[in-house]
Amino acid sequence: MRVRRTQLTRRTSGQRLAGRRRLSPVRAVASVLLAGALAVTATACTSGGDKGGGGPAWQGGNEAEQKPKASAAITAPAADAKDVPASAEITFTSKDATETKVEVKNAAGETVEGNLNGDGTWLPEKQLDYGTTYTATVTATGDDGKPATATSTFTTMAKPGKQVRVTSFLGDGQTVGVGMPLIVKFSRAIPEDYRDDVQRRMTVKATPTQEGIWHWVSPTEVRYRPKTYWKANTKIFYKIQAGGLPMGDGYYGRADLTVDIKTGTALLMTVDNKSKKMTVTRDGKTIKTIPISLGKKSTPSSSGTMVIIEKKKETVFDTMDDPNPENRYITDIEYAQRLTWGGEFIHAAPWSVADQGRRNVSHGCVNMSTANAKWLFNQTRIGDPIVVKGTETKLQNGNGWTDWNMSWDEYVKGSAIPYKPAG
C-alpha cells in the first residue's frame, strides 16, 4: 500500500470575511439627504426648547459584526479505514479557526501523544500499535467561541512480515568532533520515489540551533550535516520515525530510532604540503604545529576535507595484496587515525622522522613522530575534520566521510525533498 502526503492549506484568522452589512446605493443617498435636512433644522432652532441634543437613537451607529463560524474536516485516515499503516499521521483542514486541536485515542480511551505541525498534519510521538483501532478528533474554534469537530475512526494493519531495519552509526551518549555527519543506514534499498516520505520522518534538533539537511549517499544510506561545522559543545538529538512506514515493494519500517549525542570542542587540523606541517587549532586558537611527511609522487596523499573515521592505538598495516610490489609491506603501527577507505591515515612513523617537515616519503598517509602522533591521538575524536592542501591528487567523494568535501550547494542536491533556507 502506498500512502502519500496530501498538501493542505488552512485559512488563518487573518483571512476571515468581515460580517458587516452594507447599505444599498439608494438607501445610502436617502440617508445623506435626511442627514442634511436634520442639520438645517437644527441650525434654524437655536432658540427653541429642544434640550436633548442627541438626535435619533440610530443616527451614526454601527450594526453588529457577524463573526464567522469555524469548520473542520479530517482528510486521512478516512473514517472506518482498515489496514492503515502504523506510521499513520492525521491530515486535516480547518477554516476560520483561531485555535485547532487534534486528539487521538485508542479503543481503551487512552490518549496518544503527538505533535501538531503547521502544514495541517498531526504526527504521533511513536508508531501506532498494529491491529488496533483509533479515533482521531479535530476541534476548530472560531472568533465566536463555538467549536466545530470532525472525527475519524480507523484500524491499523497487522504487523507486516517484510520489514526494513534502520540503524545509526552513532549511539546515545557519544561525544564527537564538529565535522561528524549523522549516518543512518537501511537494511534494504529505499526506492527513489519513497525517499521523500522517509526523509520527512527524519528530524534533527540541535542546541544551539543550526541549519542542516539530509543527503542520500546511496539507496541504503543517508547522512546529515549542518551548513558549516557543528558549533562546539552542541547537543544533538535525531529521530527516525520509520516504524510501520511504507518503504516500497510491500516493505515497512521495522521500528523508530532515536539518538542523543553531543559535540566536543572545535578541534581542526590543517596540513600544508608546501610547508610539510600540520597546524592544530582548538576553538580558533593554534595549540600545536607538527612536522609531517605526506605521500611520495608514486603514492600521493589526497587534497581535500576529511574527518577522522576511526582510531586505533595499535594496529598492523598489511598491503601484501597491492598489485605494485614496491607498495607491499606488513608493518606494526601506533596511533593510527583513519581518514579514507582507501587507506590514508594519520599515524606514528618513527622511520621517517628525518624526512618530516622536509619531504614526502609515505604511501599516502600523514606521517609524524611517535611523540607527536601520541599527543594528537589524545586530542582528537571521531568526526574531527582535517584539511589537506597542495598535493598532486584531489580527494574523491565517497572515499571516506567526504560530506565536507562538497560545497553546501552540492550537498543539498542529495536531499529527497526541496531545500528551504533557514529564515
Side-chain angles (χ1 to χ4, degrees):
M1 181 180 355
R2 181 77 168 96
V3 178
R4 304 295 297 180
R5 174 185 295 256
T6 301
Q7 297 297 324
L8 301 169
T9 302
R10 291 189 294 167
R11 172 178 280 175
T12 64
S13 58
Q15 294 173 300
R16 299 188 210 100
L17 296 175
R20 191 182 306 277
R21 286 166 40 195
R22 300 185 179 218
L23 297 173
S24 68
V26 173
R27 183 178 175 186
V29 171
S31 297
V32 171
L33 293 175
L34 179 58
L38 290 171
V40 170
T41 302
T43 302
C45 300
T46 55
S47 60
D50 186 2
K51 298 181 181 180
W58 49 264
Q59 188 175 350
N62 292 326
E63 298 192 37
E65 182 180 357
Q66 298 297 315
K67 296 180 179 178
K69 295 182 179 180
S71 63
I74 295 176
T75 56
D80 301 320
K82 308 295 183 183
D83 295 325
V84 175
S87 62
E89 61 186 17
I90 309 303
T91 62
F92 62 92
T93 60
S94 61
K95 182 180 179 182
D96 295 325
T98 57
E99 183 182 31
T100 303
K101 295 181 179 179
V102 177
E103 185 177 54
V104 177
K105 293 184 177 182
N106 60 19
E110 299 168 328
T111 299
V112 178
E113 296 297 325
N115 297 297
L116 185 64
N117 299 320
D119 59 352
T121 64
W122 179 93
L123 186 65
E125 279 288 332
K126 58 182 180 180
Q127 74 176 86
L128 302 177
D129 294 330
Y130 290 111
T132 302
T133 298
Y134 293 90
T135 298
T137 302
V138 175
T139 303
T141 304
D143 277 339
D144 60 0
K146 297 179 180 180
T149 62
T151 61
S152 175
T153 298
F154 60 93
T155 304
T156 55
M157 65 186 293
K159 185 176 180 179
K162 299 163 70 174
Q163 295 184 318
V164 179
R165 186 182 180 191
V166 184
T167 57
S168 168
F169 176 82
L170 299 172
D172 285 339
Q174 283 188 257
T175 301
V176 298
V178 296
M180 184 70 210
L182 310 181
I183 303 173
V184 174
K185 292 188 176 183
F186 304 91
S187 62
R188 182 182 183 274
I190 307 301
E192 189 170 358
D193 60 344
Y194 280 79
R195 294 177 199 168
D196 56 342
D197 290 339
V198 174
Q199 190 173 324
R200 286 190 181 94
R201 297 299 185 96
M202 305 174 70
T203 56
V204 178
K205 180 180 179 181
T207 307
T209 301
Q210 292 153 72
E211 182 178 3
I213 199 167
W214 291 100
H215 173 99
W216 289 81
V217 177
S218 73
T220 60
E221 182 175 342
V222 61
R223 299 184 195 157
Y224 182 100
R225 56 154 272 202
K227 191 171 185 178
T228 58
Y229 293 141
W230 296 106
K231 296 179 181 178
N233 306 309
T234 295
K235 294 180 180 179
I236 304 167
F237 173 79
Y238 54 106
K239 185 175 186 178
I240 317 301
Q241 291 186 262
L245 184 67
M247 292 188 173
D249 303 322
Y251 281 83
Y252 295 81
R254 180 178 177 180
D256 293 345
L257 173 71
T258 62
V259 182
D260 208 335
I261 63 169
K262 64 180 180 180
T263 64
T265 58
L267 188 134
L268 309 177
M269 296 161 282
T270 303
V271 173
D272 187 349
N273 185 37
K274 185 176 181 180
S275 66
K276 305 294 188 292
K277 291 180 180 179
M278 172 190 283
T279 301
V280 184
T281 65
R282 178 183 286 120
D283 297 330
K285 297 181 180 180
T286 299
I287 57 175
K288 198 173 184 67
T289 300
I290 301 173
I292 53 91
S293 179
L294 296 172
K296 56 184 182 291
K297 287 187 177 181
S298 61
T299 55
S301 301
S302 298
S303 285
T305 303
M306 298 157 267
V307 298
I308 295 175
I309 297 172
E310 64 176 344
K311 299 175 62 172
K312 293 185 177 182
K313 187 175 180 180
E314 296 179 347
T315 189
V316 176
F317 284 2
D318 183 345
T319 64
M320 296 306 291
D321 59 350
D322 194 294
N324 186 346
E326 294 182 0
N327 296 331
R328 295 174 187 168
Y329 59 88
I330 299 177
T331 305
D332 291 333
I333 298 293
E334 290 185 305
Y335 307 112
Q337 304 189 65
R338 180 185 286 275
L339 305 178
T340 71
W341 304 127
E344 295 180 49
F345 288 76
I346 304 168
H347 65 81
W351 56 84
S352 70
V353 170
D355 299 301
Q356 292 164 19
R358 300 177 60 194
R359 56 180 174 270
N360 294 332
V361 297
S362 82
H363 290 85
C365 293
V366 180
N367 285 183
M368 58 183 63
S369 70
T370 301
N372 284 330
K374 179 180 180 180
W375 176 88
L376 186 65
F377 191 90
N378 291 332
Q379 307 301 314
T380 60
R381 294 183 172 92
I382 299 297
D384 279 333
I386 174 172
V387 178
V388 178
K389 301 178 180 179
T391 66
E392 299 89 340
T393 301
K394 290 185 178 181
L395 176 67
Q396 296 297 308
N397 288 332
N399 186 15
W401 295 339
T402 54
D403 303 74
W404 297 102
N405 201 52
M406 287 182 271
S407 69
W408 178 246
D409 288 341
E410 290 176 307
Y411 201 77
V412 299
K413 291 178 181 178
S415 172
I417 56 180
Y419 165 62
K420 295 181 180 180

